Amino acid sequence: MDRSPLSSLPLTIDGEALWRRLQELATFGARSDGGVDRPALSATERAARRRLIEWADALGATSHIDPAGNMFFRRAGIDDLDPVLFGSHIDSQPNGGRYDGAYGVVAGFALLEAAARAQLVHARPIEVVVWNNEEGSRYSPGAMGSALFAGQIGLDALRDVQDADGLRFADELEATIADAKAAGARERKLGFPVHAFIEPHIEQGPILEREGLPVGIVDGIQGLRWYRVTVHGSSAHAGTTPRAARRDAFVGAAELAAALRAPTIDSEDAVRFTIGRFRVFPGSPNTIAERAEFSVDLRHNDDALLTSLDEVFTELAQRSWSGCSVEMERVMTLSPVSFDERVIGLLEQGARTSGRSYRRMTSGAFHDATHMASLCPTAMVFIPCAAGISHNPLERIEPHDALAGAEVAIAAIVALAQS
Ligand code: HGY
Ligand code: MN
Ligand code: MN
Ligand code: MN
């Protein structure tokens, strides 16, 4: 891919408009504590998608939705070449912040706005993308829409997936697609050739703030494994059942959880082990638990270590724990990924041209860029967030950093769209 040197920033980005759009998007699923609760494929997310369609209409971009629920807001190029994609996700954690995912999508709209204002001419189409269900909190696995787009999983495998309230993924997806089409989005097939992809995102860690840098150029993402563990016991009376007769699913799950965590903290460097969801059934104070379900989120940049831990986990799950049996399913596997050096180089040029100091860094969080890197030249740009806090309503960014990251990413996107 040839590339035009970035002698100056190709567009003037309206930082105030970018900030206004971020705050407007945060009204969809707004929490009283300043965060957002905007689950994938929920009514609040459907309303947010409709607002993005309105924004696109006003900026002369066409709106599209694919069978995976991914949305694309397309600014035509003078040639019908493979498009450059630019964006992130708008679904959030239940106690999410305003900027995780949303920042990358709004930076995309800042580009559409600046390009429309400047009547920018570019060879390739530029498409702002909203990947469906990146968080994986309501429906597992995460990064689902980009995995479907990249052919890593098929829709058939998700037919029976339900959320905690028993609402089927397939039904909620169908309703979301119908709602977007009613608001003017055009249907599009799943998957198409992409020239390059850039995902602007908040760092969700403390490094950039600690080093006083406005921009991070992301060259890769660490690996991940997600597990769903179910421990089966027997319900019984809390007051009358002697210890020897108990098959208490909570006790079994607690012992297994501790056993799973032990080898991760024994490894020479920080495997990140998280149990974020733990549910006990029937969930009555005076009934011994018949079933316990919990999640395991495992992260590290050494795939061989993650694979070796998978073998240890599989063996532990085959044992009996306080008389309880165990089912364990690995529901998500992401190998560490390295991004494309040419796209990284364009982002570094964008930082230099815009006079922003920066550093290269690897992402601890997974992103849709993980799957896109298997399809096309891909990289990410990070901006700092206060104290590295994310997946928390206290998530905060600064308007000047939001502008800096957008200018750097947009300079690279425009250069890619010219080539
Ligand atoms: O969990 C993650 O790493 C991403 O932020 N959803
Ligand atoms: Mn995110
Ligand atoms: Mn997230
Ligand atoms: Mn992401």
Side-chain angles (χ1 to χ4, degrees), residues 15-284:
E16 285 176 17
L18 187 157
W19 192 254
R20 275 197 307 275
R21 288 187 200 275
L22 276 171
Q23 304 318 317
E24 185 180 343
L25 193 50
T27 62
F28 295 93
R31 289 166 47 109
S32 57
D33 55 12
V36 294
D37 178 10
R38 192 169 53 231
L41 303 177
S42 63
T44 49
E45 197 210 46
R46 284 200 278 277
R49 288 168 182 255
R50 288 198 297 273
R51 181 59 52 84
L52 298 184
I53 292 171
E54 289 166 13
W55 287 357
D57 290 350
L59 295 172
T62 53
S63 299
H64 307 260
I65 188 161
D66 74 11
N70 300 312
M71 293 195 77
F72 306 86
F73 303 95
R74 178 183 173 97
R75 176 180 167 84
I78 46 178
D79 301 320
D80 190 19
L81 299 167
D82 295 347
V84 178
L85 264 53
F86 182 49
S88 188
H89 62 95
I90 61 166
D91 63 304
S92 82
Q93 289 286 320
N95 66 332
R98 297 179 164 220
Y99 307 107
D100 174 0
Y103 171 64
V105 172
V106 170
F109 277 90
L111 165 56
L112 294 180
E113 193 271 333
R117 185 166 15 93
Q119 295 178 340
L120 182 76
V121 176
H122 43 91
R124 297 180 176 279
I126 296 173
E127 300 195 10
V128 175
V129 57
V130 176
W131 297 114
N132 184 28
N133 188 26
E134 188 274 349
E135 295 291 354
S137 173
R138 181 183 182 194
Y139 293 112
S140 182
M144 187 189 273
S146 52
L148 287 161
F149 183 89
Q152 309 274 356
I153 50 174
L155 271 169
D156 292 346
L158 303 167
R159 280 276 167 259
D160 299 325
V161 170
Q162 296 184 8
D163 68 8
D165 300 322
L167 293 174
R168 291 177 66 243
F169 165 79
D171 298 338
E172 295 289 273
L173 174 63
E174 188 180 335
T176 298
I177 292 172
D179 188 83
K181 284 169 58 184
R186 305 170 196 181
E187 276 195 293
R188 187 182 225 181
K189 68 180 177 61
L190 178 57
F192 50 81
V194 176
H195 182 61
F197 172 61
I198 290 181
E199 180 170 5
H201 204 284
I202 62 171
E203 179 197 339
Q204 301 178 297
I207 296 169
L208 291 175
E209 184 190 56
R210 190 174 59 212
E211 297 184 8
L213 296 171
V215 165
I217 310 290
V218 186
D219 58 14
I221 301 182
Q222 70 176 339
L224 164 145
R225 302 289 187 274
W226 272 8
Y227 297 88
R228 181 184 298 122
V229 183
T230 307
V231 177
H232 297 283
S234 304
S235 61
H237 196 294
T240 58
T241 312
R243 168 96 51 97
R246 290 180 176 223
R247 293 180 60 241
D248 185 331
F250 168 75
V251 172
E255 290 170 348
L256 172 57
L260 291 170
R261 182 169 179 271
T264 69
I265 53 180
D266 293 348
S267 75
E268 65 286 3
D269 62 327
V271 175
R272 302 214 164 125
F273 175 98
T274 307
I275 293 179
R277 179 177 288 157
F278 196 114
R279 296 187 297 180
V280 177
F281 301 89
S284 164

Side-chain angles (χ1 to χ4, degrees), residues 8-13 110-112 114-120 407 410-411 414:
S8 65
L9 287 181
L11 289 169
T12 303
I13 306 305
L111 165 56
L112 294 180
R117 185 166 15 93
Q119 295 178 340
L120 182 76
E407 284 186 343
I410 288 166
V414 171

